[in-house]
Amino acid sequence: MSRWSILALLLGLLLVAAPFSKHQLAAASDEYDDDDEDAPSAPKDDDEKDVVVVTVKNWDDTVKKAKFALVEFYAPWCGHCKSLKPHYAKAATILKAAVPDAIIAKVDATVEESLGSKFSVQGYPTLKWFVDGELVSDYGGSRDTEGIVNWVKKKTGPPAVSVEDADKLKSLEADNEVLVLGYFSELKGADYETFKSFASKTEDVAFAETTSAEVAQAAGLEAAGTVAVIKNFPGEAREVAVSSDLSGLEAFVKGEKLPATIEFSQENSGKIFNSGIPKQLILWASPDELAADAEVMSAYRAASKKFKGQLVFVTVNNEGEGSEPVTNFFGLKGASSPVLLGFHMEKNRKYKLSEPLTAASVEAFAASVADGSAQPEYKSQPVPEDPVEEGVTVVVGKSVDSVVMDPTKDVLLEVYAPWCGHCKQLEPTYKKLAKRFKKVSSVVIAKMDGTENEHPSIEVKGFPTIIFFPAGEDKTPIALEGGDRSLKALTKFIKSKAKIPYELPKKSGGAEEAASEKDEL
């Protein structure tokens, strides 16, 4: 599960790169099977006419010779790659005309494995930025057409576009849902340098600058040394927010660059998760309840204005195709709507409003999520009557404290997803491991379904995640790093981390098994 794929679920997510929750939620929405890694590469269609197909053979003649290149490393079976495809193709067409020095390219990393390995590609899609044929950075923008275009323009051009007349401003507004315009008497001085520095570091919105009073007036600016955030969101009236506090420019733009509420979707995931605001409110509701004139939506929008810049207010149509990641991530199958949720990306904490949804309760709940006083909720399946399956102890959220946190046990925990191909490949090895330690009473080999169970002490950034919890009062988790999950590697990992001394029972079966045992130890 890639990072963009977590709330890329959620959404890494509906990822680019972020904490577990963002990735897990995204991963849950993947439309591919991890096992299908040998699927053939799909041919490029007409919509991708401006996307350059790169292989090992033509790398030097394309990326190496380009002044600028944005390269997507993808897999044909990857659900997130499929979702990105139309946005990437449209961005390529726009940028072909707007930035002729840049190429927008793609590499089928399942075929061109050496390229993926060379540039440390570990998930799909991975986008990387090259200048004069040399890798400079990973892509850091949102994964929609506008985000890709703005990011490449920012990387290849000036931090802010100069605007001399109102017609140019109107044209820029037509091309950008959000435009930040700075008005200065002259393009120098401390205020201007503050504006230019912030513009150069901010990649998810477009910036413009002007010394024209006509342009300033069209943007609602009266005095020089002021900044306007001009918003033209689909279905909403043009809105302008103005600030004269250049020292608070970052907070001002962060609070104004999103609409009052934003729909959860693959296209909007970058805006939600790369907004710079780690906390979100999520209204999971029916289409009628999300209607502009609905009482629930009115209360939600009213709260969004009071907590601008502190929370991202997300809506989820629970009858829509894109609702499944959120429904699964928060355990809402069969729930009655509306449901108001809170989510803290950086800490992977989830919250739920437990009382009826009213204007007062929405505002109070939003305040508690914003100030950190809300009590988090964690999913858990029922504790199984017989928790041992073929030697592996089955753990759920409610039994983590009694099993995994038991100070008298060294515990190896695998957090898996039922749909994860890599987890399925690991299963027989993990069962052998449990059998190997069956008579070692101080060691517990355990597993937990990470899609149905959570615990604040367990951080999961992908499936499977393998964590060792050493015996003792300080149960500080130790994650297994690297891709070697063989019986030998797992046995050595336990041996090196266990606090309670033990001896594995000797195998019987001749020289071959004796040699195998020696390797494991």
Side-chain angles (χ1 to χ4, degrees), residues 94-117:
I94 295 171
L95 290 167
K96 184 177 181 179
V99 188
D101 286 343
I103 65 168
I104 307 302
K106 69 175 186 176
V107 174
D108 183 344
T110 67
V111 175
E112 309 299 333
E113 294 181 0
S114 61
L115 288 177
S117 176

Side-chain angles (χ1 to χ4, degrees), residues 1-19 21-27 29-30 78 80-81 84 123-127 138-144 265-266 268-274 345:
M1 175 174 60
S2 69
R3 175 182 181 186
W4 184 67
S5 302
I6 164 189
L7 209 35
L9 217 208
L10 21 206
L11 251 163
L13 189 118
L14 224 158
L15 214 196
V16 175
S21 37
K22 176 180 172 180
H23 293 305
Q24 181 189 7
L25 186 52
S29 67
D30 276 350
C78 166
H80 297 307
C81 302
L84 175 63
Y124 304 122
T126 291
L127 287 79
D138 286 345
Y139 173 75
S142 60
R143 300 197 177 191
D144 56 17
S265 67
Q266 192 83 18
N268 288 338
S269 64
K271 295 175 183 176
I272 295 171
F273 298 113
N274 296 323
M345 269 199 315

Side-chain angles (χ1 to χ4, degrees), residues 84 109 116 134 293 334 339 362 445 480:
L84 175 63
E134 298 298 325
D293 58 351
V339 177
V362 171
I445 307 300
L480 175 66

Side-chain angles (χ1 to χ4, degrees), residues 161-166 168-169 172 179 181 208-212 215:
V161 177
S162 293
V163 183
E164 298 82 16
D165 56 61
K168 178 65 177 294
L169 177 65
L172 285 173
L179 179 67
L181 176 71
E209 59 190 30
T210 190
T211 57
S212 165
V215 174

Side-chain angles (χ1 to χ4, degrees), residues 287-520:
D288 289 343
E289 291 162 337
L290 295 177
D293 58 351
E295 184 177 351
V296 168
M297 193 62 183
S298 296
Y300 196 54
R301 288 181 68 89
S304 73
K305 295 176 182 179
K306 296 183 179 181
F307 295 91
K308 187 182 294 185
Q310 300 178 62
L311 302 169
V312 180
F313 282 72
V314 182
T315 61
V316 179
N317 172 8
N318 60 22
E319 296 179 13
E321 293 182 359
S323 66
E324 186 175 359
V326 174
T327 300
N328 292 338
F329 191 65
F330 288 94
L332 296 175
K333 285 185 178 179
S336 299
S337 66
V339 177
L340 185 59
L341 306 158
F343 182 63
H344 192 315
M345 269 199 315
E346 293 177 349
K347 296 184 178 181
N348 187 27
R349 289 184 179 172
K350 308 171 187 179
Y351 314 92
K352 184 185 294 184
L353 177 66
S354 57
E355 56 188 281
L357 200 155
T358 65
S361 66
V362 171
E363 183 174 341
F365 182 65
S368 69
V369 174
D371 66 21
S373 62
Q375 293 299 308
E377 283 201 350
Y378 298 98
K379 290 193 298 184
S380 178
Q381 295 173 302
V383 178
E385 292 184 11
D386 182 1
V388 180
E389 293 180 359
E390 300 186 58
V392 179
T393 299
V394 177
V395 174
V396 298
K398 293 177 180 178
S399 64
V400 168
D401 288 333
S402 61
V403 178
V404 179
M405 300 301 170
D406 183 347
T408 68
K409 304 292 184 182
D410 286 302
V411 181
L412 185 71
L413 176 68
E414 177 207 2
V415 185
Y416 70 96
W419 41 259
C420 167
H422 298 301
C423 302
K424 294 173 185 176
Q425 291 172 5
L426 175 62
E427 186 175 8
T429 300
Y430 208 67
K431 289 178 180 177
K432 289 180 182 178
L433 183 71
K435 183 178 180 181
R436 191 80 184 89
F437 281 85
K438 184 177 180 179
K439 294 183 179 180
V440 180
S441 61
S442 63
V443 174
V444 176
I445 307 300
K447 67 177 182 179
M448 183 177 80
D449 182 347
T451 67
E452 296 290 343
N453 302 279
E454 299 165 333
H455 189 275
S457 298
I458 298 175
E459 181 180 5
V460 181
K461 295 182 178 179
F463 295 127
T465 287
I466 299 176
I467 312 171
F468 188 81
F469 292 82
E473 295 300 328
D474 181 16
K475 300 284 285 190
T476 302
I478 304 168
L480 175 66
E481 303 292 345
D484 188 355
R485 301 180 183 125
S486 64
L487 181 61
K488 175 182 176 181
L490 294 173
T491 303
K492 285 189 172 182
F493 180 59
I494 295 171
K495 187 75 172 178
S496 66
K497 305 301 181 185
K499 295 293 185 180
I500 301 174
Y502 67 86
E503 290 294 334
L504 283 175
K506 298 297 182 181
K507 291 183 179 180
S508 60
E512 184 177 341
E513 287 193 358
S516 175
E517 178 182 332
K518 183 178 179 181
D519 285 342
E520 290 172 15

